[in-house]
Amino acid sequence: MTHKFSQWSSLSPWSIISFTLLTAKQLLSSGYALIPVVYTGWKQGFSSPWVIVAIVGVIAAIFIFSVLQWLKFRFRVETDKLIIRHGIIFKKADELPFTKIQNVRLEQPLYFRPMGLYRLIVETAGSKNNEAELSALDYKDALSLKKQLMAEHDSQIAQAENSATGDISAIESKQISPLSRKNFIELLLFGLYQNNAIWLAVILGPIFGQLDWESVENLQLAQSFLAWYNSNVAVSILLQLLFAALALILFYLLFSILSIASAVLKYFPYKLNRSGNTLQRTGGIIAKQNDALAIKRIQVIKFYQPIVGRLLKLWTVYFKQVKGHEVEGRGNTNMLIPSMTRADISALMPKLKGIEATATLLPIHYQGIHMGWFWRRGLLPFLVPAINTYALGLNLFTDIMWIAAALFSVGIYLKYRQYGYVQQGDNLWFHSGLLGHSWQLIALSKVQHVAISQSPNQKRSGLANLEIGLASGTVTLPYISVIAARDIAEQSLALIHNDHRNWI
């Protein structure tokens, strides 16, 4: 890399756009509850001139604050770390050693595209927010800086392979090899089965609440529909059930529109490559993205299949990293591969050399947990309706409570049925779910701690809870045989006892 950033450098003035948008986003991040208020106020009209003055004042304050952020932002690249100084009133200096960098993302948002500028996001293990964000960089500078930040991981694997198999294999390990490609149809299906309809419901709910439903009911189209329903559907219970099922499917497809559009705009055209010891994902229509993830940072591989995905026989593969920050966002969303079949997974796994786990096939069966887990939880929902029935007797209210308790208990039973595990050598598969299901592949050599706990009832039954601690979080296997729990724990401790590698 050029020595352009070896001295303290400032960002391009165009980065003020990013600072402005980030400040506005932080200001509005908790403003979802204001949607119905703003909508109602808009319907009634904002007649006061102070509303305009306040809006202009807020916009001016955000812009001035963003300019000050840009003026105080400086960064410098040394031989082994990235240093960033920022802060308007309280000065901060962040040092990011290359060895701690987990992900590097290169993005080109829509507002930077006319200038040909990019945004570089650096994430370290355990961080809850972006450790560093360098905006409005020239493409050559951004790409060169990205390569230097991830060079630590490529040099490590090159040295390892060079000592084992010679210079040729070390050179070949740096070549880019494709792992997965997803076309428009596959991303459309991903948005369909990975749909999170609750967000569209939150947005549309306040708007629908403002509609005059009495006027809608008096419309000619609504009256014609009701007449058709009464004459063609209401005459048969079977037809009513069929109509309700079709209506639910249509509503799901309606709520899927946002999810499908998001999947296509964020990932198309999806490409996942391996370059040396890193995974690189590219794609994005509105904001072009280029993510890099160090393979050794992967702690767990999760294979998730929601209920619609089960019908389509499609899985989503997640690479779970050190808990606190992930490539694709926050919380449970990690760098992922969408719309994967079992055959695709079998073809992918052998190409992920370096993740410690050696399994290549997704299991079909698993060892379930003991029924005692369900009995401790499945009967509790009936306690509340039983107390109310004793005090109030049977009535409509208590009947509803009994039905809700029964449904809740059924959900607990379905969750119990999904709990299980498979041990394959030094690999542990953990299965869970409700209507959908997931597999988590854990390399026992990456375990940080294990804990076995038993209640008095579990002791009498020879059962235990096994807690497996990883850098990506904790996995708990409840109500399994105490012998199996000890075997897994002892094998994990034996693998890591003399292993002093930094597997975080």
Side-chain angles (χ1 to χ4, degrees):
M1 163 162 177
T2 177
H3 297 285
K4 179 177 181 180
F5 298 125
S6 59
Q7 304 298 323
W8 289 108
S9 305
S10 61
L11 298 174
S12 165
W14 288 109
S15 63
I16 296 175
I17 300 176
S18 286
F19 286 121
T20 301
L21 293 176
L22 179 61
T23 303
K25 180 181 178 181
Q26 293 173 343
L27 188 65
L28 299 173
S29 60
S30 59
Y32 294 109
L34 298 177
I35 293 177
V37 178
V38 174
Y39 183 82
T40 303
W42 174 69
K43 293 289 289 184
Q44 295 177 353
F46 293 105
S47 57
S48 174
W50 289 107
V51 174
I52 299 176
V53 173
I55 293 174
V56 172
V58 170
I59 294 175
I62 291 175
F63 181 74
I64 293 173
F65 181 74
S66 302
V67 172
L68 293 176
Q69 283 183 303
W70 167 68
L71 290 173
K72 296 295 183 180
F73 192 97
R74 294 291 185 274
F75 70 99
R76 176 180 177 180
V77 180
E78 295 187 353
T79 56
D80 60 344
K81 61 186 175 181
L82 171 65
I83 306 176
I84 296 177
R85 292 180 179 176
H86 59 101
I88 299 175
I89 299 176
F90 302 99
K91 307 295 183 181
K92 293 181 63 178
D94 298 328
E95 294 188 2
L96 283 69
F98 293 168
T99 55
K100 301 299 182 183
I101 292 176
Q102 180 162 279
N103 314 304
V104 178
R105 167 180 288 183
L106 192 61
E107 292 184 348
Q108 188 184 43
L110 187 62
Y111 50 83
F112 278 160
R113 205 170 286 183
M115 291 81 72
L117 302 176
Y118 284 77
R119 179 173 63 183
L120 187 75
I121 299 173
V122 183
E123 302 161 354
T124 60
S127 62
K128 294 184 179 179
N129 298 299
N130 295 337
E131 288 288 349
E133 182 173 318
L134 307 179
S135 296
L137 295 175
D138 177 78
Y139 178 71
K140 291 183 178 179
D141 292 337
L143 187 61
S144 180
L145 183 56
K146 176 188 173 185
K147 289 181 178 179
Q148 182 173 357
L149 296 177
M150 297 300 292
E152 177 73 20
H153 310 296
D154 287 335
S155 63
Q156 289 178 356
I157 192 170
Q159 293 173 4
E161 294 190 6
N162 183 38
S163 61
T165 58
D167 294 339
I168 296 178
S169 64
I171 296 174
E172 289 177 349
S173 69
K174 297 182 181 180
Q175 295 179 352
I176 296 177
S177 58
L179 297 182
S180 182
R181 300 285 188 271
K182 299 299 173 184
N183 57 35
F184 179 84
I185 300 298
E186 290 173 313
L187 292 176
L188 186 148
L189 292 174
F190 170 65
L192 178 65
Y193 76 78
Q194 201 77 6
N195 173 33
N196 190 355
I198 186 63
W199 292 111
L200 187 59
V202 168
I203 296 172
L204 295 180
I207 297 177
F208 286 157
Q210 298 295 324
L211 294 177
D212 186 355
W213 291 103
E214 292 184 1
S215 300
V216 173
E217 187 178 356
N218 294 327
L219 292 176
Q220 180 67 31
L221 182 61
Q223 292 181 352
S224 300
F225 174 77
L226 288 175
W228 173 85
Y229 180 85
N230 291 328
S231 60
N232 295 280
V233 178
V235 296
S236 170
I237 295 179
L238 181 61
L239 289 176
Q240 292 181 55
L241 293 175
L242 180 61
F243 181 83
L246 292 175
L248 288 175
I249 294 174
L250 288 176
F251 274 117
Y252 181 86
L253 293 176
L254 173 64
F255 287 139
S256 297
I257 292 176
L258 186 63
S259 178
I260 292 172
S262 175
V264 173
L265 292 176
K266 182 176 182 178
Y267 295 110
F268 183 80
Y270 181 97
K271 295 180 181 179
L272 181 69
N273 299 318
R274 175 169 183 161
S275 176
N277 200 26
T278 63
L279 298 180
Q280 297 187 4
R281 180 188 69 81
T282 59
I285 295 178
I286 294 181
K288 294 182 179 179
Q289 300 178 4
N290 188 328
D291 296 331
L293 167 63
I295 289 180
K296 73 173 184 178
R297 304 296 190 195
I298 298 174
Q299 304 297 309
V300 176
I301 302 181
K302 180 179 179 180
F303 306 85
Y304 177 60
Q305 189 177 55
I307 182 170
V308 179
R310 297 183 72 173
L311 298 175
L312 298 174
K313 298 182 178 181
L314 294 175
W315 299 76
T316 303
V317 180
Y318 296 94
F319 298 106
K320 298 184 70 175
Q321 305 139 47
V322 176
K323 188 176 182 180
H325 200 196
E326 293 79 21
V327 173
E328 300 293 349
R330 304 291 183 269
N332 295 323
T333 53
N334 314 81
M335 179 180 273
L336 58 84
I337 310 178
S339 299
M340 296 286 285
T341 64
R342 279 185 174 270
D344 294 335
I345 293 172
S346 299
L348 170 71
M349 295 301 291
K351 301 177 183 178
L352 296 177
K353 183 181 179 182
I355 60 171
E356 300 291 334
T358 57
T360 58
L361 295 176
L362 203 60
I364 299 177
H365 306 289
Y366 53 89
Q367 175 66 45
I369 64 173
H370 193 269
M371 189 71 174
W373 184 92
F374 170 73
W375 291 125
R376 282 184 60 89
R377 295 160 177 80
L379 299 180
L380 288 178
F382 294 101
L383 183 61
V384 174
I387 295 174
N388 282 272
T389 302
Y390 177 78
L392 304 175
L394 288 173
N395 53 45
L396 179 61
F397 175 70
T398 55
D399 289 345
I400 294 175
M401 293 186 69
W402 279 107
I403 295 173
L407 293 175
F408 199 79
S409 182
V410 169
I412 295 174
Y413 179 76
L414 292 176
K415 186 174 183 179
Y416 151 74
R417 293 284 297 175
Q418 296 278 21
Y419 265 126
Y421 67 97
V422 177
Q423 187 175 1
Q424 297 175 343
D426 295 339
N427 305 309
L428 180 66
W429 292 91
F430 174 60
H431 188 272
S432 62
L434 187 64
L435 297 178
H437 62 153
S438 69
W439 285 100
Q440 294 188 66
L441 175 58
I442 302 168
L444 295 180
S445 57
K446 291 222 171 189
V447 172
Q448 292 188 344
H449 74 267
V450 291
I452 299 176
S453 61
Q454 289 179 293
S455 66
N457 288 333
Q458 286 177 321
K459 283 185 178 180
R460 287 191 292 268
S461 303
L463 303 173
N465 300 323
L466 175 64
E467 181 182 281
I468 300 175
L470 301 155
S472 58
T474 301
V475 175
T476 301
L477 293 174
Y479 278 77
I480 65 173
S481 165
V482 66
I483 298 176
R486 288 171 180 168
D487 288 343
I488 295 172
E490 291 173 359
Q491 184 172 354
S492 301
L493 295 176
L495 287 171
I496 65 177
H497 179 68
N498 296 317
D499 191 348
H500 303 291
R501 292 174 298 167
N502 178 9
W503 42 202
I504 298 180

